[in-house]
Amino acid sequence: MNHYNPFSLENKTILVTGASSGIGKAIAIECSKMGANVIVTARNEERLKETFSLLRGNNNNIIIADLTDERDLDFIVKNLAELDGLVHCAGMTMSKPFQFYSKDKIDTIMGVNFFSPLLLTQMLLKAKKIKRQSSIVFISSISGVYVANVGNSMYSASKGAINGLIKGLALELAPKNIRVNSVNPGMVETNIISSGVLSDEQLDEDKKRYPLKRYGSPIEIAYAVVYLLSDASSWTTGSNIVIDGGFTLL
């Protein structure tokens, strides 16, 4: 029986950065279930190998790399086949009052969240490793784009910069039919939350601020990314898809 599936990623080769945990891990796994050949990359070898072991199919690949090191970026680009999809998921948070951010700390958060995906994209384009009619997806945030919270000004700045970048990139790459979009999640249940910075009571209180009364799950973000990577979204570019349980409505 022929199963109709407009979201199929069959025969597409997709690179997912930050695939060792959380949203990146979920994206890599779901892409593989949709038939993609998935290349996963991250710094943490042990956790990345765990993600890799959960991927479907036999044509997947793994690259251990630190995206803040240009030599590692170079290594990734040289060792890749042509891509049909690129998902920038590597990211970090760092909470502190604005006046206490040292230049080093600013460089660190902007490096991981903004400069690394920017440089990797640029290098892949120059090396002609991103095919025509392919899709580039940045995992951004509602933070810095639609909302803000105390102590998160630099994280917000990095995500605001990403959203600005995708608008310009979408226009520049449109002649090649390369689409560029972002997904802007609200709070998602990942290791960042379970690290114990906030108590369960504080988290439960925070969840009440969401119209749907809960945080999202990584897989719910992954489904949106699958849509953006698939031919179902062939007329979608320069878009920021908000997935936040209604948080930005309030």
Side-chain angles (χ1 to χ4, degrees):
M1 185 181 167
N2 184 20
H3 291 288
Y4 171 64
N5 181 5
F7 306 103
S8 169
L9 300 178
E10 209 72 48
N11 300 320
K12 289 186 188 289
T13 300
I14 291 162
L15 172 67
V16 182
T17 75
S20 60
S21 64
I23 293 170
K25 181 177 186 176
I27 290 168
I29 292 166
E30 292 311 304
C31 285
S32 76
K33 288 180 182 173
M34 298 304 276
N37 304 322
V38 181
I39 302 148
V40 290
T41 184
R43 277 188 289 208
N44 188 309
E45 184 169 354
E46 194 182 330
R47 291 203 318 236
L48 190 61
K49 282 181 172 169
E50 189 196 324
T51 299
F52 186 73
S53 72
L54 298 169
L55 300 179
R56 296 257 178 99
N58 303 315
N59 291 321
N60 304 307
N61 215 329
I62 185 169
I63 303 175
I64 315 292
D66 178 350
L67 299 183
T68 59
D69 186 329
E70 279 192 53
R71 290 164 304 185
D72 280 15
L73 290 180
D74 208 41
F75 179 77
I76 292 173
V77 174
K78 285 197 168 90
N79 284 279
L80 281 182
E82 286 187 316
L83 298 174
D84 302 283
L86 168 60
V87 187
H88 291 293
C89 202
M92 65 172 292
T93 57
M94 188 190 292
S95 250
K96 57 174 64 204
F98 175 73
Q99 66 264 40
F100 296 120
Y101 275 104
S102 64
K103 174 78 165 54
D104 281 355
K105 293 278 189 282
I106 294 169
D107 287 347
T108 298
I109 197 160
M110 292 303 284
V112 172
N113 291 359
F114 180 64
F115 288 114
S116 292
L118 179 156
L119 288 171
L120 179 57
T121 305
Q122 193 179 52
M123 290 163 80
L124 287 167
L125 287 166
K126 282 181 178 170
K128 297 191 166 42
K129 292 284 175 90
I130 299 178
K131 288 183 191 169
R132 296 176 83 83
Q133 296 180 323
S134 58
S135 170
I136 302 173
V137 183
F138 289 84
I139 304 301
S140 182
S141 173
I142 57 172
S143 184
V145 185
Y146 304 98
V147 299
N149 55 335
V150 174
N152 252 1
S153 56
M154 278 306 116
Y155 179 79
S156 291
S158 68
K159 294 304 187 179
I162 284 291
N163 275 50
L165 176 68
I166 74 143
K167 302 288 185 193
L169 259 185
L171 281 177
E172 286 193 34
L173 298 179
K176 291 181 178 165
N177 244 314
I178 297 172
R179 299 177 296 104
V180 188
N181 297 285
S182 73
V183 175
N184 297 59
M187 202 63 131
V188 174
E189 300 269 7
T190 64
N191 297 348
I192 292 172
I193 291 177
S194 56
S195 61
V197 177
L198 295 173
S199 68
D200 288 347
E201 290 77 21
Q202 285 172 309
L203 291 172
D204 287 341
E205 205 51 46
D206 190 51
K207 286 173 190 174
K208 289 177 190 164
R209 297 163 63 209
Y210 284 73
L212 293 182
K213 303 300 177 208
R214 66 176 179 87
Y215 292 154
S217 70
I219 204 166
E220 289 171 312
I221 310 306
Y223 291 151
V225 174
V226 166
Y227 161 71
L228 289 172
L229 291 170
S230 75
D231 296 342
S233 63
S234 55
W235 206 50
T236 305
T237 196
S239 292
N240 313 119
I241 297 182
V242 176
I243 307 182
D244 70 344
F247 186 83
T248 50
L249 298 173
L250 301 175

